[in-house]
Amino acid sequence: MRYTPKIGRREFLVMTGAGGLALLAGCGSQSDGGTSSGNGTRTTIGPGNPAVAKADKARGGTGKVTSFDLAAAATTLAIGSREVKTWAYGGLVPGKELRVRQGDTLEVNLRNQLPEDTTIHWHGLAIRNDMDGVPDLTQPVIKPDGSFTYRFVVPDAGTYWFHPHMGLQLDRGLYAPLIVEDKADPGDFDVDQVVVLDDWLDGIDGKTPEKTYKSLTSMSGMGNMGGGGGMGDMGGGSMGSGSMPMSMAQSDLLGGDAGDVTYPLHLINGRPPEDRQTIKVAAGGRARLRLINAGSDTAYRVALGGHRLTVTHADGYAVEPVEVDAILIGMGERYDVTVSPKSGAWPLVALAEGKDAVAAAIVRTSDASQTSAPPADVQPKELDGRLLSYTDLSAVEADRLPVAKADVDQKVKLTGSMMPYSWAFDGKAFDKHPPLDIQQGQRVRVSFENTTSMWHPIHLHGHTFRLGTNATGPRKDTVNVLPKQTVVIEFDADNPGQWMAHCHNTYHLEQGMAMLVSYVG
Ligand code: C2O
Ligand code: CU
């Protein structure tokens, strides 16, 4: 989805037309610093506003710069036994994990070798607004053959990731983990392993995200199929590539519809079950697994056969440790878990919730190299055991957001349906939705009421909110809102700029299920 600002567009184009990348990064430029409405009552704090640089400066940082070069390009790669054409960072899926230390400056020089425009969004990081990677809102698009250098202080330790903020590119192979090491607490693990989950269709039997989106939206054009039979009446014949993309996925845990899209493959770290990764852990050793859901339309229920998992972090932030059998993780969410595996070879399974398919890996201890691996499609009983719920999570004391009176208290309805295929906030797509105006220093509360029959993972840029109204609520940046549920988030407006809040279902975002959280002067 492209952002089409109602105001500020002209100023922005003037700036970019003038070769204004330097202006964007600089402070003191008026040209992209925000806009005033005609009557002067609303002045937005744009990415080039001095307040943005000032807030960034206040973060301090070590001054140490860690640099990476990254190319986004079309590539052919092996997924299990299949050769697949897709788009990826550096020819790898997931892209190479970037590691930096908290407080350091991350510099990533991105070359766009894709046939279309792109950007990178640093999911979950509360960084300076002009580096947030939302096209036309926080930066001009990066054209094919163009490049852009992202450079920002990385404020918080934890498990993060990055992906384009452009159309359906995330449902290709364009995603990678970003791990920010805690300078105070290096952790004491034999293994520190990222576990990236993804639903995959790109390049399989001619599928692409674009064709899938077209099929989903052309369903709506077909209107009521008659007979009251709903989606079940629709044959696959008229759909793209002869298969029906629309999923009938149902899940009690997700309160109804589990997803819109049927995926041929589900991957852990880019690999399908028949080609599972083995995560090796020293006998008696302790492993940290960093779960990231990089999928576009699939929640995963994750468990390790024979073990319970101790959850230590949610969306990068520490929580009071809690032991569970299984974890439900929506798109964009992350959980860090620790486990000391018993001697053996154990199935690490991510059940595609409501979709009757799995992604898989093996956790094997060093003294069990002869133990035969569990079957690739095994579904350990832990999947049906004690499931992590949001109410199990409480922020550690140092990360608590104290209770305070909300200066802004906004209700937002999640709206839409499969038929017609249409998703939005308050019935209005992004470019029609009024921005939520906030001011620096305010306490902001937003209540998301899900009026639809499907769950939505709601993500806020540039801030880590507190879930709920209690001081102990976990800090997160993405939260699953189930059908008929209302979820309240609160945050302090401490990072000036223009920020998106949106559903992290790639296809829902493309529909405009998003709104602007706009700092105003
Ligand atoms: Cu990970 Cu705006 O998204
Ligand atoms: Cu959604």
PDB file of all heavy atoms in Angstrom, residues 19 57 85 98 145 171 181 200 233 270 294 329 353 372 374 460 507 521:
ATOM      1  N   GLY A  19      16.573  16.720  -4.907  1.00  0.00           N
ATOM      2  CA  GLY A  19      17.641  15.819  -4.507  1.00  0.00           C
ATOM      3  C   GLY A  19      17.829  15.877  -3.009  1.00  0.00           C
ATOM      4  O   GLY A  19      18.940  15.930  -2.506  1.00  0.00           O
ATOM      5  N   LYS A  57      18.846  12.499  19.465  1.00  0.00           N
ATOM      6  CA  LYS A  57      20.032  12.891  20.211  1.00  0.00           C
ATOM      7  C   LYS A  57      19.889  12.530  21.684  1.00  0.00           C
ATOM      8  O   LYS A  57      20.829  12.050  22.331  1.00  0.00           O
ATOM      9  CB  LYS A  57      20.255  14.394  20.067  1.00  0.00           C
ATOM     10  CG  LYS A  57      21.722  14.729  20.014  1.00  0.00           C
ATOM     11  CD  LYS A  57      21.984  16.161  19.630  1.00  0.00           C
ATOM     12  CE  LYS A  57      23.467  16.296  19.336  1.00  0.00           C
ATOM     13  NZ  LYS A  57      23.758  17.421  18.513  1.00  0.00           N
ATOM     14  N   LYS A  85      11.942 -19.089  -7.637  1.00  0.00           N
ATOM     15  CA  LYS A  85      12.307 -17.698  -7.969  1.00  0.00           C
ATOM     16  C   LYS A  85      11.590 -16.774  -7.002  1.00  0.00           C
ATOM     17  O   LYS A  85      10.374 -16.849  -6.858  1.00  0.00           O
ATOM     18  CB  LYS A  85      11.857 -17.367  -9.390  1.00  0.00           C
ATOM     19  CG  LYS A  85      12.727 -17.928 -10.479  1.00  0.00           C
ATOM     20  CD  LYS A  85      12.347 -17.240 -11.798  1.00  0.00           C
ATOM     21  CE  LYS A  85      13.300 -17.564 -12.931  1.00  0.00           C
ATOM     22  NZ  LYS A  85      13.713 -18.957 -13.028  1.00  0.00           N
ATOM     23  N   LEU A  98      21.293  -9.617  11.202  1.00  0.00           N
ATOM     24  CA  LEU A  98      22.140  -8.497  11.607  1.00  0.00           C
ATOM     25  C   LEU A  98      22.188  -8.469  13.123  1.00  0.00           C
ATOM     26  O   LEU A  98      21.168  -8.617  13.782  1.00  0.00           O
ATOM     27  CB  LEU A  98      21.596  -7.163  11.087  1.00  0.00           C
ATOM     28  CG  LEU A  98      21.388  -7.033   9.577  1.00  0.00           C
ATOM     29  CD1 LEU A  98      21.032  -5.587   9.219  1.00  0.00           C
ATOM     30  CD2 LEU A  98      22.604  -7.474   8.793  1.00  0.00           C
ATOM     31  N   ASP A 145      17.547   0.241  -8.935  1.00  0.00           N
ATOM     32  CA  ASP A 145      18.930   0.687  -9.159  1.00  0.00           C
ATOM     33  C   ASP A 145      19.349   1.828  -8.238  1.00  0.00           C
ATOM     34  O   ASP A 145      20.479   2.296  -8.311  1.00  0.00           O
ATOM     35  CB  ASP A 145      19.175   1.107 -10.617  1.00  0.00           C
ATOM     36  CG  ASP A 145      19.168  -0.087 -11.535  1.00  0.00           C
ATOM     37  OD1 ASP A 145      19.662  -1.153 -11.101  1.00  0.00           O
ATOM     38  OD2 ASP A 145      18.647   0.027 -12.657  1.00  0.00           O
ATOM     39  N   ASP A 171       5.589 -10.702   1.480  1.00  0.00           N
ATOM     40  CA  ASP A 171       5.201 -12.099   1.264  1.00  0.00           C
ATOM     41  C   ASP A 171       6.098 -12.791   0.244  1.00  0.00           C
ATOM     42  O   ASP A 171       5.878 -13.942  -0.114  1.00  0.00           O
ATOM     43  CB  ASP A 171       3.725 -12.226   0.879  1.00  0.00           C
ATOM     44  CG  ASP A 171       3.144 -13.569   1.326  1.00  0.00           C
ATOM     45  OD1 ASP A 171       3.782 -14.240   2.171  1.00  0.00           O
ATOM     46  OD2 ASP A 171       2.073 -13.971   0.821  1.00  0.00           O
ATOM     47  N   GLU A 181      21.956  -6.855  20.938  1.00  0.00           N
ATOM     48  CA  GLU A 181      22.496  -7.459  22.153  1.00  0.00           C
ATOM     49  C   GLU A 181      22.456  -6.468  23.308  1.00  0.00           C
ATOM     50  O   GLU A 181      22.731  -5.293  23.140  1.00  0.00           O
ATOM     51  CB  GLU A 181      23.928  -7.939  21.897  1.00  0.00           C
ATOM     52  CG  GLU A 181      23.952  -9.110  20.937  1.00  0.00           C
ATOM     53  CD  GLU A 181      25.346  -9.428  20.428  1.00  0.00           C
ATOM     54  OE1 GLU A 181      26.293  -8.672  20.747  1.00  0.00           O
ATOM     55  OE2 GLU A 181      25.470 -10.432  19.703  1.00  0.00           O
ATOM     56  N   TRP A 200       4.794 -19.584   3.003  1.00  0.00           N
ATOM     57  CA  TRP A 200       5.463 -19.371   1.712  1.00  0.00           C
ATOM     58  C   TRP A 200       4.606 -19.811   0.533  1.00  0.00           C
ATOM     59  O   TRP A 200       4.134 -20.932   0.479  1.00  0.00           O
ATOM     60  CB  TRP A 200       6.782 -20.164   1.680  1.00  0.00           C
ATOM     61  CG  TRP A 200       7.587 -19.776   0.477  1.00  0.00           C
ATOM     62  CD1 TRP A 200       7.467 -20.259  -0.802  1.00  0.00           C
ATOM     63  CD2 TRP A 200       8.596 -18.762   0.430  1.00  0.00           C
ATOM     64  NE1 TRP A 200       8.340 -19.606  -1.631  1.00  0.00           N
ATOM     65  CE2 TRP A 200       9.049 -18.686  -0.911  1.00  0.00           C
ATOM     66  CE3 TRP A 200       9.165 -17.911   1.385  1.00  0.00           C
ATOM     67  CZ2 TRP A 200      10.045 -17.799  -1.310  1.00  0.00           C
ATOM     68  CZ3 TRP A 200      10.154 -17.035   0.982  1.00  0.00           C
ATOM     69  CH2 TRP A 200      10.589 -16.991  -0.358  1.00  0.00           C
ATOM     70  N   ASP A 233     -19.136 -22.542  -1.842  1.00  0.00           N
ATOM     71  CA  ASP A 233     -19.685 -22.712  -3.179  1.00  0.00           C
ATOM     72  C   ASP A 233     -18.687 -22.406  -4.276  1.00  0.00           C
ATOM     73  O   ASP A 233     -18.923 -22.687  -5.433  1.00  0.00           O
ATOM     74  CB  ASP A 233     -20.881 -21.771  -3.382  1.00  0.00           C
ATOM     75  CG  ASP A 233     -22.088 -22.269  -2.619  1.00  0.00           C
ATOM     76  OD1 ASP A 233     -22.002 -23.393  -2.103  1.00  0.00           O
ATOM     77  OD2 ASP A 233     -23.069 -21.515  -2.521  1.00  0.00           O
ATOM     78  N   GLY A 270      13.662 -20.538   6.602  1.00  0.00           N
ATOM     79  CA  GLY A 270      13.717 -20.736   5.163  1.00  0.00           C
ATOM     80  C   GLY A 270      13.622 -22.179   4.717  1.00  0.00           C
ATOM     81  O   GLY A 270      13.754 -22.454   3.518  1.00  0.00           O
ATOM     82  N   ALA A 294       7.459 -14.001  10.640  1.00  0.00           N
ATOM     83  CA  ALA A 294       7.618 -13.138   9.463  1.00  0.00           C
ATOM     84  C   ALA A 294       6.570 -13.478   8.406  1.00  0.00           C
ATOM     85  O   ALA A 294       6.676 -13.052   7.260  1.00  0.00           O
ATOM     86  CB  ALA A 294       9.022 -13.308   8.879  1.00  0.00           C
ATOM     87  N   ILE A 329       1.804 -17.219  18.107  1.00  0.00           N
ATOM     88  CA  ILE A 329       2.544 -16.022  17.695  1.00  0.00           C
ATOM     89  C   ILE A 329       1.971 -15.489  16.385  1.00  0.00           C
ATOM     90  O   ILE A 329       1.925 -16.199  15.379  1.00  0.00           O
ATOM     91  CB  ILE A 329       4.068 -16.324  17.639  1.00  0.00           C
ATOM     92  CG1 ILE A 329       4.861 -15.117  17.171  1.00  0.00           C
ATOM     93  CG2 ILE A 329       4.389 -17.535  16.794  1.00  0.00           C
ATOM     94  CD1 ILE A 329       6.367 -15.263  17.380  1.00  0.00           C
ATOM     95  N   GLU A 353      -1.633 -22.195  12.483  1.00  0.00           N
ATOM     96  CA  GLU A 353      -2.871 -22.264  13.251  1.00  0.00           C
ATOM     97  C   GLU A 353      -4.099 -22.255  12.338  1.00  0.00           C
ATOM     98  O   GLU A 353      -4.261 -21.344  11.517  1.00  0.00           O
ATOM     99  CB  GLU A 353      -2.917 -21.089  14.244  1.00  0.00           C
ATOM    100  CG  GLU A 353      -4.096 -21.099  15.177  1.00  0.00           C
ATOM    101  CD  GLU A 353      -4.155 -22.340  16.066  1.00  0.00           C
ATOM    102  OE1 GLU A 353      -3.093 -22.865  16.454  1.00  0.00           O
ATOM    103  OE2 GLU A 353      -5.283 -22.774  16.359  1.00  0.00           O
ATOM    104  N   SER A 372      17.442 -41.259  16.381  1.00  0.00           N
ATOM    105  CA  SER A 372      16.763 -40.973  15.118  1.00  0.00           C
ATOM    106  C   SER A 372      15.820 -39.783  15.290  1.00  0.00           C
ATOM    107  O   SER A 372      15.246 -39.562  16.363  1.00  0.00           O
ATOM    108  CB  SER A 372      16.009 -42.205  14.618  1.00  0.00           C
ATOM    109  OG  SER A 372      15.115 -42.632  15.612  1.00  0.00           O
ATOM    110  N   PRO A 374      12.613 -37.353  14.930  1.00  0.00           N
ATOM    111  CA  PRO A 374      11.167 -37.559  14.893  1.00  0.00           C
ATOM    112  C   PRO A 374      10.646 -37.327  13.472  1.00  0.00           C
ATOM    113  O   PRO A 374      11.287 -36.639  12.694  1.00  0.00           O
ATOM    114  CB  PRO A 374      10.634 -36.489  15.852  1.00  0.00           C
ATOM    115  CG  PRO A 374      11.709 -35.465  15.948  1.00  0.00           C
ATOM    116  CD  PRO A 374      12.997 -36.174  15.720  1.00  0.00           C
ATOM    117  N   LEU A 460       2.177  -1.041  15.935  1.00  0.00           N
ATOM    118  CA  LEU A 460       2.418   0.403  15.989  1.00  0.00           C
ATOM    119  C   LEU A 460       3.897   0.671  15.722  1.00  0.00           C
ATOM    120  O   LEU A 460       4.765   0.033  16.329  1.00  0.00           O
ATOM    121  CB  LEU A 460       2.033   0.944  17.375  1.00  0.00           C
ATOM    122  CG  LEU A 460       2.389   2.414  17.650  1.00  0.00           C
ATOM    123  CD1 LEU A 460       1.594   3.365  16.749  1.00  0.00           C
ATOM    124  CD2 LEU A 460       2.136   2.757  19.128  1.00  0.00           C
ATOM    125  N   TYR A 507      -1.868  -8.741   3.408  1.00  0.00           N
ATOM    126  CA  TYR A 507      -2.957  -8.501   2.457  1.00  0.00           C
ATOM    127  C   TYR A 507      -3.971  -7.506   3.019  1.00  0.00           C
ATOM    128  O   TYR A 507      -4.584  -6.745   2.272  1.00  0.00           O
ATOM    129  CB  TYR A 507      -3.601  -9.835   2.064  1.00  0.00           C
ATOM    130  CG  TYR A 507      -2.592 -10.692   1.320  1.00  0.00           C
ATOM    131  CD1 TYR A 507      -1.737 -11.563   2.012  1.00  0.00           C
ATOM    132  CD2 TYR A 507      -2.424 -10.575  -0.051  1.00  0.00           C
ATOM    133  CE1 TYR A 507      -0.768 -12.295   1.346  1.00  0.00           C
ATOM    134  CE2 TYR A 507      -1.465 -11.307  -0.729  1.00  0.00           C
ATOM    135  CZ  TYR A 507      -0.635 -12.165  -0.025  1.00  0.00           C
ATOM    136  OH  TYR A 507       0.328 -12.869  -0.704  1.00  0.00           O
ATOM    137  N   GLY A 521       2.270  19.877  16.296  1.00  0.00           N
ATOM    138  CA  GLY A 521       2.872  20.899  17.141  1.00  0.00           C
ATOM    139  C   GLY A 521       1.822  21.733  17.876  1.00  0.00           C
ATOM    140  O   GLY A 521       0.642  21.603  17.639  1.00  0.00           O
TER     141      GLY A 521
END
